[in-house]
Amino acid sequence: VDINLGVGYVNENTIPRDGIRQALDEVLSSPQKYRFALNYGGPTGSANLIESIRRFYLEHRIGGLTEQVLSGRQIIIGANGASSLLEAVAQVLAPGLVVTADPLYYIYCDFLERMGFELLAVPQDQQGLDIRRLEAILDRLGDRQAQIRFFYLVTVNNPTGTILSNRRRQEVVEIAHRLSRRWGRKVPVIFDLAYELLIHDPVQEPPLSGLLFDELGLVYEMGTLSKILAPALRIGYLIGPDGPMLQAIVQKTSDAGFSAPLVLQEMASVLLDRCAAEQIERVRAGYHQKAQKTGAWIQQRLGPYLEYTTGGQAGFYFYLTFRQIETHEGSAFFRFLARTTGQPQIDGPPEAKKPRVVYIPGQFCVHRHGELVEQARRQLRLSYGFEELERIDQALRLMAEAAEYAETAQP
């Protein structure tokens, strides 16, 4: 009954069920190549999967990477998707300042704060993190720059869908180089590529890997196969220079019980070798179609209420900013869609509530001590990934009703 535009799940139709079944059969029937697939794995990951990732990057020129660049980097597999690798970073580095973009990936950034880190959340523009604002913040920090532990940037921003431009990637790495030289220690840059392979807007410039700009061994890239294959495979990987930080992450993975289940890693290796390129194109085409339809419905039904919209070019999010309507949990707009207005004609009877529409209010998507708190009261993240188009259409019609209700309900 309810429509979930908040959850960041992939669309079920993108998951290659037959390919996964065939991959399992191949792994179990080829013990010479996929040795001990149903036993424990190791802390760095399956050698087959690591080689498949390396080969996939080179054959398809992912990020513009070359053999020379990749040969100087290690690839490791996380214990439970990319999130486990991000968690490991927070546990092996001493607490301090973390530079990130605002709006931010609140799930990880909330975790960082619980671990004792302090966020430097820099507002973004159409190209991603605003470098001029970052430079101004660094100037104001003065000697506190020494407390910067790492940079964390989602290259296709979650929640806004903004794609970090190649120029901005290079500039961030250059700033990290400068800080590292000034303070006599490495300041890592972590690029989270969660949605990088889902850039489906054909007019976008091909993204370049941050590894291409790295002279000091500062850049680490987090990748995942969840968005293009299946989240349940739990395959997240890290590409970066060997050294104390990477080895500490490997140790953390070992402490957690080794990398992802070996049989799943071997299946992912088979899928990457056999059908990844075709699968990615199919997934991109599906999300592009949904983005086009959803974007048109947003403008058609909510356009008069909106100040601006971002997203729809990659991944599966739109980020909406309303002119006046508030979207937080206490707002009339939220209560209409949650069916908690207290008015039976809107909510429906207690035993049969009318369809609810779930979204992520902007209040959760920005740094609570940052510059965007007030603006976030009029923002929301909407996912066009999980639900089918018919349900998204229904949800946006209900959102239009909620907007009309909110305009009359607000003073």
Side-chain angles (χ1 to χ4, degrees), residues 184-231:
R185 62 172 178 79
K186 292 185 176 182
V187 179
V189 180
I190 298 172
F191 289 115
D192 187 336
L193 313 183
Y195 304 95
E196 187 102 334
L197 293 176
L198 290 186
I199 297 177
H200 47 71
D201 186 339
V203 303
Q204 287 296 318
E205 64 176 354
L208 294 177
S209 168
L211 297 167
L212 298 173
F213 312 122
D214 186 20
E215 299 174 358
L216 300 182
L218 307 179
V219 174
Y220 300 80
E221 293 193 332
M222 299 275 188
T224 177
L225 302 184
S226 292
K227 309 297 188 293
I228 60 169
L229 294 179

mmCIF file of all heavy atoms in Angstrom, residues 184-231:
data_model
loop_
_atom_site.group_PDB
_atom_site.id
_atom_site.type_symbol
_atom_site.label_atom_id
_atom_site.label_comp_id
_atom_site.label_asym_id
_atom_site.label_seq_id
_atom_site.Cartn_x
_atom_site.Cartn_y
_atom_site.Cartn_z
ATOM 1 N N GLY A 184 53.728 17.437 7.267
ATOM 2 C CA GLY A 184 54.689 16.341 7.369
ATOM 3 C C GLY A 184 54.089 14.970 7.570
ATOM 4 O O GLY A 184 54.738 14.074 8.120
ATOM 5 N N ARG A 185 52.845 14.787 7.143
ATOM 6 C CA ARG A 185 52.216 13.465 7.213
ATOM 7 C C ARG A 185 51.162 13.375 6.119
ATOM 8 O O ARG A 185 50.691 14.397 5.605
ATOM 9 C CB ARG A 185 51.559 13.233 8.574
ATOM 10 C CG ARG A 185 50.451 14.194 8.892
ATOM 11 C CD ARG A 185 49.703 13.821 10.167
ATOM 12 N NE ARG A 185 48.674 14.796 10.469
ATOM 13 C CZ ARG A 185 47.482 14.846 9.878
ATOM 14 N NH1 ARG A 185 47.174 13.946 8.939
ATOM 15 N NH2 ARG A 185 46.593 15.762 10.204
ATOM 16 N N LYS A 186 50.791 12.175 5.771
ATOM 17 C CA LYS A 186 49.827 11.989 4.692
ATOM 18 C C LYS A 186 48.407 12.281 5.172
ATOM 19 O O LYS A 186 47.998 11.810 6.235
ATOM 20 C CB LYS A 186 49.916 10.570 4.143
ATOM 21 C CG LYS A 186 51.219 10.298 3.401
ATOM 22 C CD LYS A 186 51.228 8.918 2.760
ATOM 23 C CE LYS A 186 52.500 8.720 1.948
ATOM 24 N NZ LYS A 186 52.517 7.400 1.279
ATOM 25 N N VAL A 187 47.678 13.056 4.363
ATOM 26 C CA VAL A 187 46.259 13.324 4.603
ATOM 27 C C VAL A 187 45.479 12.604 3.498
ATOM 28 O O VAL A 187 45.421 13.085 2.365
ATOM 29 C CB VAL A 187 45.955 14.835 4.578
ATOM 30 C CG1 VAL A 187 44.464 15.079 4.808
ATOM 31 C CG2 VAL A 187 46.795 15.564 5.628
ATOM 32 N N PRO A 188 44.906 11.437 3.788
ATOM 33 C CA PRO A 188 44.260 10.644 2.732
ATOM 34 C C PRO A 188 43.024 11.333 2.142
ATOM 35 O O PRO A 188 42.342 12.115 2.816
ATOM 36 C CB PRO A 188 43.851 9.354 3.462
ATOM 37 C CG PRO A 188 44.671 9.328 4.711
ATOM 38 C CD PRO A 188 44.885 10.757 5.089
ATOM 39 N N VAL A 189 42.776 11.006 0.882
ATOM 40 C CA VAL A 189 41.554 11.418 0.192
ATOM 41 C C VAL A 189 40.803 10.150 -0.181
ATOM 42 O O VAL A 189 41.321 9.311 -0.919
ATOM 43 C CB VAL A 189 41.852 12.234 -1.074
ATOM 44 C CG1 VAL A 189 40.549 12.632 -1.766
ATOM 45 C CG2 VAL A 189 42.683 13.468 -0.736
ATOM 46 N N ILE A 190 39.588 10.004 0.338
ATOM 47 C CA ILE A 190 38.771 8.828 0.052
ATOM 48 C C ILE A 190 37.634 9.245 -0.861
ATOM 49 O O ILE A 190 36.766 10.042 -0.482
ATOM 50 C CB ILE A 190 38.233 8.202 1.347
ATOM 51 C CG1 ILE A 190 39.410 7.735 2.207
ATOM 52 C CG2 ILE A 190 37.292 7.038 1.033
ATOM 53 C CD1 ILE A 190 39.024 7.285 3.579
ATOM 54 N N PHE A 191 37.662 8.730 -2.076
ATOM 55 C CA PHE A 191 36.576 8.944 -3.026
ATOM 56 C C PHE A 191 35.662 7.720 -2.973
ATOM 57 O O PHE A 191 36.098 6.597 -3.240
ATOM 58 C CB PHE A 191 37.111 9.123 -4.448
ATOM 59 C CG PHE A 191 37.832 10.425 -4.680
ATOM 60 C CD1 PHE A 191 39.187 10.439 -4.975
ATOM 61 C CD2 PHE A 191 37.157 11.636 -4.608
ATOM 62 C CE1 PHE A 191 39.854 11.628 -5.210
ATOM 63 C CE2 PHE A 191 37.815 12.834 -4.829
ATOM 64 C CZ PHE A 191 39.173 12.831 -5.127
ATOM 65 N N ASP A 192 34.409 7.952 -2.623
ATOM 66 C CA ASP A 192 33.412 6.896 -2.551
ATOM 67 C C ASP A 192 32.697 6.841 -3.902
ATOM 68 O O ASP A 192 31.966 7.758 -4.275
ATOM 69 C CB ASP A 192 32.423 7.207 -1.421
ATOM 70 C CG ASP A 192 31.432 6.079 -1.160
ATOM 71 O OD1 ASP A 192 31.192 5.272 -2.082
ATOM 72 O OD2 ASP A 192 30.886 6.021 -0.050
ATOM 73 N N LEU A 193 32.923 5.749 -4.641
ATOM 74 C CA LEU A 193 32.409 5.616 -6.011
ATOM 75 C C LEU A 193 31.094 4.855 -6.077
ATOM 76 O O LEU A 193 30.798 4.210 -7.088
ATOM 77 C CB LEU A 193 33.446 4.897 -6.895
ATOM 78 C CG LEU A 193 34.890 5.369 -6.827
ATOM 79 C CD1 LEU A 193 35.744 4.579 -7.816
ATOM 80 C CD2 LEU A 193 35.007 6.856 -7.123
ATOM 81 N N ALA A 194 30.295 4.932 -5.020
ATOM 82 C CA ALA A 194 29.107 4.084 -4.911
ATOM 83 C C ALA A 194 28.236 4.114 -6.166
ATOM 84 O O ALA A 194 27.690 3.088 -6.579
ATOM 85 C CB ALA A 194 28.281 4.490 -3.691
ATOM 86 N N TYR A 195 28.082 5.298 -6.780
ATOM 87 C CA TYR A 195 27.168 5.435 -7.932
ATOM 88 C C TYR A 195 27.913 5.785 -9.219
ATOM 89 O O TYR A 195 27.289 6.125 -10.223
ATOM 90 C CB TYR A 195 26.131 6.522 -7.639
ATOM 91 C CG TYR A 195 25.348 6.268 -6.378
ATOM 92 C CD1 TYR A 195 25.734 6.835 -5.172
ATOM 93 C CD2 TYR A 195 24.226 5.447 -6.375
ATOM 94 C CE1 TYR A 195 25.038 6.588 -3.996
ATOM 95 C CE2 TYR A 195 23.518 5.191 -5.211
ATOM 96 C CZ TYR A 195 23.937 5.771 -4.022
ATOM 97 O OH TYR A 195 23.240 5.518 -2.863
ATOM 98 N N GLU A 196 29.237 5.696 -9.197
ATOM 99 C CA GLU A 196 30.037 6.126 -10.347
ATOM 100 C C GLU A 196 29.710 5.343 -11.610
ATOM 101 O O GLU A 196 29.677 5.896 -12.709
ATOM 102 C CB GLU A 196 31.521 5.982 -10.004
ATOM 103 C CG GLU A 196 32.436 6.544 -11.048
ATOM 104 C CD GLU A 196 32.997 7.908 -10.668
ATOM 105 O OE1 GLU A 196 32.347 8.629 -9.892
ATOM 106 O OE2 GLU A 196 34.071 8.231 -11.148
ATOM 107 N N LEU A 197 29.472 4.039 -11.467
ATOM 108 C CA LEU A 197 29.176 3.224 -12.645
ATOM 109 C C LEU A 197 27.737 3.401 -13.115
ATOM 110 O O LEU A 197 27.340 2.815 -14.119
ATOM 111 C CB LEU A 197 29.447 1.749 -12.345
ATOM 112 C CG LEU A 197 30.919 1.385 -12.111
ATOM 113 C CD1 LEU A 197 31.045 -0.085 -11.716
ATOM 114 C CD2 LEU A 197 31.754 1.679 -13.346
ATOM 115 N N LEU A 198 26.955 4.206 -12.380
ATOM 116 C CA LEU A 198 25.564 4.461 -12.765
ATOM 117 C C LEU A 198 25.363 5.880 -13.268
ATOM 118 O O LEU A 198 24.280 6.441 -13.136
ATOM 119 C CB LEU A 198 24.627 4.201 -11.579
ATOM 120 C CG LEU A 198 24.460 2.753 -11.156
ATOM 121 C CD1 LEU A 198 23.406 2.639 -10.073
ATOM 122 C CD2 LEU A 198 24.102 1.864 -12.335
ATOM 123 N N ILE A 199 26.407 6.484 -13.843
ATOM 124 C CA ILE A 199 26.221 7.769 -14.529
ATOM 125 C C ILE A 199 25.561 7.449 -15.864
ATOM 126 O O ILE A 199 26.176 6.882 -16.759
ATOM 127 C CB ILE A 199 27.561 8.501 -14.718
ATOM 128 C CG1 ILE A 199 28.163 8.844 -13.354
ATOM 129 C CG2 ILE A 199 27.373 9.762 -15.550
ATOM 130 C CD1 ILE A 199 29.530 9.516 -13.423
ATOM 131 N N HIS A 200 24.286 7.810 -15.968
ATOM 132 C CA HIS A 200 23.512 7.386 -17.140
ATOM 133 C C HIS A 200 23.125 8.548 -18.050
ATOM 134 O O HIS A 200 22.458 8.345 -19.067
ATOM 135 C CB HIS A 200 22.258 6.627 -16.709
ATOM 136 C CG HIS A 200 21.472 7.275 -15.608
ATOM 137 N ND1 HIS A 200 20.749 8.436 -15.789
ATOM 138 C CD2 HIS A 200 21.295 6.915 -14.311
ATOM 139 C CE1 HIS A 200 20.154 8.760 -14.653
ATOM 140 N NE2 HIS A 200 20.468 7.855 -13.728
ATOM 141 N N ASP A 201 23.527 9.765 -17.704
ATOM 142 C CA ASP A 201 23.262 10.911 -18.566
ATOM 143 C C ASP A 201 24.321 10.928 -19.669
ATOM 144 O O ASP A 201 25.509 11.102 -19.396
ATOM 145 C CB ASP A 201 23.334 12.202 -17.747
ATOM 146 C CG ASP A 201 22.928 13.426 -18.552
ATOM 147 O OD1 ASP A 201 22.971 13.360 -19.802
ATOM 148 O OD2 ASP A 201 22.570 14.441 -17.948
ATOM 149 N N PRO A 202 23.929 10.769 -20.929
ATOM 150 C CA PRO A 202 24.926 10.653 -22.008
ATOM 151 C C PRO A 202 25.723 11.925 -22.260
ATOM 152 O O PRO A 202 26.762 11.883 -22.911
ATOM 153 C CB PRO A 202 24.072 10.291 -23.235
ATOM 154 C CG PRO A 202 22.701 10.780 -22.906
ATOM 155 C CD PRO A 202 22.549 10.629 -21.422
ATOM 156 N N VAL A 203 25.295 13.071 -21.747
ATOM 157 C CA VAL A 203 26.028 14.311 -22.008
ATOM 158 C C VAL A 203 27.131 14.553 -20.979
ATOM 159 O O VAL A 203 27.923 15.480 -21.112
ATOM 160 C CB VAL A 203 25.082 15.534 -22.020
ATOM 161 C CG1 VAL A 203 23.982 15.355 -23.036
ATOM 162 C CG2 VAL A 203 24.492 15.807 -20.643
ATOM 163 N N GLN A 204 27.210 13.736 -19.944
ATOM 164 C CA GLN A 204 28.214 13.928 -18.913
ATOM 165 C C GLN A 204 29.598 13.522 -19.410
ATOM 166 O O GLN A 204 29.756 12.557 -20.151
ATOM 167 C CB GLN A 204 27.868 13.111 -17.664
ATOM 168 C CG GLN A 204 26.720 13.665 -16.863
ATOM 169 C CD GLN A 204 27.032 15.039 -16.292
ATOM 170 O OE1 GLN A 204 28.124 15.280 -15.804
ATOM 171 N NE2 GLN A 204 26.060 15.922 -16.369
ATOM 172 N N GLU A 205 30.627 14.291 -19.005
ATOM 173 C CA GLU A 205 31.993 13.915 -19.329
ATOM 174 C C GLU A 205 32.350 12.643 -18.563
ATOM 175 O O GLU A 205 31.936 12.454 -17.416
ATOM 176 C CB GLU A 205 32.961 15.030 -18.952
ATOM 177 C CG GLU A 205 33.024 15.333 -17.457
ATOM 178 C CD GLU A 205 34.065 16.374 -17.110
ATOM 179 O OE1 GLU A 205 34.815 16.781 -18.017
ATOM 180 O OE2 GLU A 205 34.138 16.773 -15.938
ATOM 181 N N PRO A 206 33.119 11.737 -19.170
ATOM 182 C CA PRO A 206 33.509 10.524 -18.454
ATOM 183 C C PRO A 206 34.308 10.895 -17.203
ATOM 184 O O PRO A 206 35.232 11.697 -17.266
ATOM 185 C CB PRO A 206 34.382 9.782 -19.474
ATOM 186 C CG PRO A 206 33.983 10.332 -20.801
ATOM 187 C CD PRO A 206 33.603 11.760 -20.549
ATOM 188 N N PRO A 207 33.959 10.327 -16.060
ATOM 189 C CA PRO A 207 34.678 10.679 -14.830
ATOM 190 C C PRO A 207 36.083 10.090 -14.828
ATOM 191 O O PRO A 207 36.309 8.976 -15.304
ATOM 192 C CB PRO A 207 33.814 10.054 -13.733
ATOM 193 C CG PRO A 207 33.126 8.921 -14.405
ATOM 194 C CD PRO A 207 32.879 9.356 -15.819
ATOM 195 N N LEU A 208 37.023 10.842 -14.294
ATOM 196 C CA LEU A 208 38.400 10.382 -14.159
ATOM 197 C C LEU A 208 38.669 9.971 -12.719
ATOM 198 O O LEU A 208 38.182 10.595 -11.777
ATOM 199 C CB LEU A 208 39.377 11.488 -14.568
ATOM 200 C CG LEU A 208 39.356 11.905 -16.042
ATOM 201 C CD1 LEU A 208 40.326 13.053 -16.285
ATOM 202 C CD2 LEU A 208 39.675 10.729 -16.958
ATOM 203 N N SER A 209 39.462 8.941 -12.578
ATOM 204 C CA SER A 209 39.827 8.463 -11.250
ATOM 205 C C SER A 209 40.729 9.471 -10.551
ATOM 206 O O SER A 209 41.644 10.047 -11.161
ATOM 207 C CB SER A 209 40.544 7.117 -11.357
ATOM 208 O OG SER A 209 41.146 6.769 -10.133
ATOM 209 N N GLY A 210 40.501 9.672 -9.256
ATOM 210 C CA GLY A 210 41.379 10.523 -8.473
ATOM 211 C C GLY A 210 42.789 9.975 -8.380
ATOM 212 O O GLY A 210 43.745 10.718 -8.098
ATOM 213 N N LEU A 211 42.945 8.674 -8.625
ATOM 214 C CA LEU A 211 44.274 8.068 -8.594
ATOM 215 C C LEU A 211 45.196 8.669 -9.651
ATOM 216 O O LEU A 211 46.423 8.657 -9.482
ATOM 217 C CB LEU A 211 44.159 6.558 -8.812
ATOM 218 C CG LEU A 211 43.386 5.772 -7.741
ATOM 219 C CD1 LEU A 211 43.083 4.367 -8.233
ATOM 220 C CD2 LEU A 211 44.167 5.719 -6.437
ATOM 221 N N LEU A 212 44.622 9.194 -10.724
ATOM 222 C CA LEU A 212 45.428 9.771 -11.802
ATOM 223 C C LEU A 212 46.156 11.031 -11.365
ATOM 224 O O LEU A 212 47.169 11.404 -11.967
ATOM 225 C CB LEU A 212 44.546 10.078 -13.014
ATOM 226 C CG LEU A 212 43.843 8.891 -13.685
ATOM 227 C CD1 LEU A 212 42.886 9.384 -14.748
ATOM 228 C CD2 LEU A 212 44.868 7.942 -14.284
ATOM 229 N N PHE A 213 45.637 11.703 -10.335
ATOM 230 C CA PHE A 213 46.207 12.979 -9.907
ATOM 231 C C PHE A 213 47.103 12.838 -8.675
ATOM 232 O O PHE A 213 47.598 13.830 -8.153
ATOM 233 C CB PHE A 213 45.073 13.967 -9.582
ATOM 234 C CG PHE A 213 44.000 14.034 -10.628
ATOM 235 C CD1 PHE A 213 42.669 13.754 -10.302
ATOM 236 C CD2 PHE A 213 44.296 14.351 -11.935
ATOM 237 C CE1 PHE A 213 41.673 13.820 -11.263
ATOM 238 C CE2 PHE A 213 43.306 14.405 -12.908
ATOM 239 C CZ PHE A 213 41.995 14.142 -12.568
ATOM 240 N N ASP A 214 47.319 11.621 -8.227
ATOM 241 C CA ASP A 214 47.931 11.379 -6.919
ATOM 242 C C ASP A 214 49.429 11.126 -7.046
ATOM 243 O O ASP A 214 49.841 10.112 -7.596
ATOM 244 C CB ASP A 214 47.242 10.186 -6.255
ATOM 245 C CG ASP A 214 47.724 9.954 -4.837
ATOM 246 O OD1 ASP A 214 48.276 10.882 -4.238
ATOM 247 O OD2 ASP A 214 47.526 8.840 -4.326
ATOM 248 N N GLU A 215 50.237 12.035 -6.527
ATOM 249 C CA GLU A 215 51.686 11.888 -6.569
ATOM 250 C C GLU A 215 52.254 11.341 -5.262
ATOM 251 O O GLU A 215 53.358 10.796 -5.245
ATOM 252 C CB GLU A 215 52.341 13.251 -6.843
ATOM 253 C CG GLU A 215 51.937 13.888 -8.168
ATOM 254 C CD GLU A 215 52.491 15.293 -8.303
ATOM 255 O OE1 GLU A 215 53.150 15.761 -7.347
ATOM 256 O OE2 GLU A 215 52.266 15.912 -9.356
ATOM 257 N N LEU A 216 51.519 11.482 -4.165
ATOM 258 C CA LEU A 216 52.063 11.158 -2.851
ATOM 259 C C LEU A 216 51.470 9.889 -2.233
ATOM 260 O O LEU A 216 51.815 9.547 -1.104
ATOM 261 C CB LEU A 216 51.825 12.333 -1.881
ATOM 262 C CG LEU A 216 52.449 13.678 -2.268
ATOM 263 C CD1 LEU A 216 52.154 14.719 -1.184
ATOM 264 C CD2 LEU A 216 53.952 13.541 -2.473
ATOM 265 N N GLY A 217 50.607 9.196 -2.961
ATOM 266 C CA GLY A 217 49.993 7.995 -2.387
ATOM 267 C C GLY A 217 48.957 8.321 -1.343
ATOM 268 O O GLY A 217 48.908 7.694 -0.277
ATOM 269 N N LEU A 218 48.097 9.301 -1.649
ATOM 270 C CA LEU A 218 47.073 9.747 -0.706
ATOM 271 C C LEU A 218 45.684 9.239 -1.049
ATOM 272 O O LEU A 218 44.809 9.195 -0.182
ATOM 273 C CB LEU A 218 47.000 11.279 -0.670
ATOM 274 C CG LEU A 218 48.284 12.063 -0.408
ATOM 275 C CD1 LEU A 218 47.988 13.557 -0.435
ATOM 276 C CD2 LEU A 218 48.891 11.664 0.923
ATOM 277 N N VAL A 219 45.437 8.883 -2.307
ATOM 278 C CA VAL A 219 44.077 8.642 -2.791
ATOM 279 C C VAL A 219 43.691 7.171 -2.651
ATOM 280 O O VAL A 219 44.436 6.262 -3.055
ATOM 281 C CB VAL A 219 43.936 9.092 -4.256
ATOM 282 C CG1 VAL A 219 42.554 8.689 -4.808
ATOM 283 C CG2 VAL A 219 44.122 10.607 -4.370
ATOM 284 N N TYR A 220 42.503 6.972 -2.082
ATOM 285 C CA TYR A 220 41.884 5.645 -1.974
ATOM 286 C C TYR A 220 40.504 5.741 -2.599
ATOM 287 O O TYR A 220 39.768 6.701 -2.341
ATOM 288 C CB TYR A 220 41.767 5.213 -0.515
ATOM 289 C CG TYR A 220 43.086 5.112 0.207
ATOM 290 C CD1 TYR A 220 43.718 6.246 0.695
ATOM 291 C CD2 TYR A 220 43.700 3.877 0.401
ATOM 292 C CE1 TYR A 220 44.935 6.167 1.358
ATOM 293 C CE2 TYR A 220 44.916 3.777 1.066
ATOM 294 C CZ TYR A 220 45.535 4.930 1.534
ATOM 295 O OH TYR A 220 46.732 4.841 2.187
ATOM 296 N N GLU A 221 40.139 4.770 -3.408
ATOM 297 C CA GLU A 221 38.816 4.760 -4.025
ATOM 298 C C GLU A 221 38.039 3.542 -3.541
ATOM 299 O O GLU A 221 38.526 2.408 -3.615
ATOM 300 C CB GLU A 221 38.927 4.778 -5.552
ATOM 301 C CG GLU A 221 39.500 6.099 -6.049
ATOM 302 C CD GLU A 221 39.337 6.305 -7.538
ATOM 303 O OE1 GLU A 221 39.287 5.307 -8.296
ATOM 304 O OE2 GLU A 221 39.261 7.481 -7.962
ATOM 305 N N MET A 222 36.837 3.827 -3.035
ATOM 306 C CA MET A 222 35.925 2.780 -2.578
ATOM 307 C C MET A 222 34.941 2.457 -3.694
ATOM 308 O O MET A 222 34.240 3.354 -4.183
ATOM 309 C CB MET A 222 35.128 3.256 -1.364
ATOM 310 C CG MET A 222 35.951 3.607 -0.151
ATOM 311 S SD MET A 222 36.284 2.139 0.825
ATOM 312 C CE MET A 222 37.050 2.916 2.265
ATOM 313 N N GLY A 223 34.881 1.202 -4.087
ATOM 314 C CA GLY A 223 33.930 0.784 -5.099
ATOM 315 C C GLY A 223 32.990 -0.272 -4.560
ATOM 316 O O GLY A 223 33.220 -0.865 -3.495
ATOM 317 N N THR A 224 31.926 -0.524 -5.291
ATOM 318 C CA THR A 224 30.947 -1.536 -4.887
ATOM 319 C C THR A 224 30.335 -2.170 -6.124
ATOM 320 O O THR A 224 30.215 -1.526 -7.169
ATOM 321 C CB THR A 224 29.837 -0.914 -4.021
ATOM 322 O OG1 THR A 224 28.870 -1.923 -3.705
ATOM 323 C CG2 THR A 224 29.122 0.223 -4.745
ATOM 324 N N LEU A 225 29.959 -3.427 -5.976
ATOM 325 C CA LEU A 225 29.206 -4.117 -7.027
ATOM 326 C C LEU A 225 27.730 -4.199 -6.687
ATOM 327 O O LEU A 225 26.955 -4.791 -7.433
ATOM 328 C CB LEU A 225 29.778 -5.525 -7.251
ATOM 329 C CG LEU A 225 31.259 -5.597 -7.640
ATOM 330 C CD1 LEU A 225 31.659 -7.045 -7.933
ATOM 331 C CD2 LEU A 225 31.564 -4.710 -8.843
ATOM 332 N N SER A 226 27.343 -3.599 -5.569
ATOM 333 C CA SER A 226 25.946 -3.681 -5.130
ATOM 334 C C SER A 226 24.995 -3.042 -6.119
ATOM 335 O O SER A 226 23.911 -3.557 -6.387
ATOM 336 C CB SER A 226 25.793 -3.006 -3.764
ATOM 337 O OG SER A 226 26.458 -3.735 -2.766
ATOM 338 N N LYS A 227 25.359 -1.894 -6.668
ATOM 339 C CA LYS A 227 24.434 -1.141 -7.517
ATOM 340 C C LYS A 227 24.305 -1.736 -8.913
ATOM 341 O O LYS A 227 23.284 -1.575 -9.569
ATOM 342 C CB LYS A 227 24.870 0.323 -7.629
ATOM 343 C CG LYS A 227 25.141 1.023 -6.300
ATOM 344 C CD LYS A 227 23.907 1.105 -5.429
ATOM 345 C CE LYS A 227 24.135 1.961 -4.200
ATOM 346 N NZ LYS A 227 25.090 1.418 -3.225
ATOM 347 N N ILE A 228 25.368 -2.426 -9.388
ATOM 348 C CA ILE A 228 25.319 -2.952 -10.758
ATOM 349 C C ILE A 228 25.019 -4.446 -10.811
ATOM 350 O O ILE A 228 24.564 -4.943 -11.843
ATOM 351 C CB ILE A 228 26.628 -2.661 -11.523
ATOM 352 C CG1 ILE A 228 27.821 -3.319 -10.812
ATOM 353 C CG2 ILE A 228 26.828 -1.169 -11.687
ATOM 354 C CD1 ILE A 228 29.095 -3.315 -11.637
ATOM 355 N N LEU A 229 25.279 -5.176 -9.722
ATOM 356 C CA LEU A 229 24.978 -6.612 -9.697
ATOM 357 C C LEU A 229 23.879 -6.901 -8.690
ATOM 358 O O LEU A 229 22.725 -7.039 -9.066
ATOM 359 C CB LEU A 229 26.246 -7.422 -9.391
ATOM 360 C CG LEU A 229 27.345 -7.378 -10.466
ATOM 361 C CD1 LEU A 229 28.554 -8.193 -10.035
ATOM 362 C CD2 LEU A 229 26.819 -7.857 -11.813
ATOM 363 N N ALA A 230 24.237 -6.987 -7.408
ATOM 364 C CA ALA A 230 23.228 -7.255 -6.382
ATOM 365 C C ALA A 230 23.805 -6.898 -5.017
ATOM 366 O O ALA A 230 24.915 -7.329 -4.691
ATOM 367 C CB ALA A 230 22.808 -8.726 -6.407
ATOM 368 N N PRO A 231 23.060 -6.140 -4.207
ATOM 369 C CA PRO A 231 23.549 -5.802 -2.867
ATOM 370 C C PRO A 231 23.846 -7.030 -2.013
ATOM 371 O O PRO A 231 24.766 -7.005 -1.181
ATOM 372 C CB PRO A 231 22.400 -4.973 -2.286
ATOM 373 C CG PRO A 231 21.704 -4.390 -3.456
ATOM 374 C CD PRO A 231 21.796 -5.444 -4.523
#
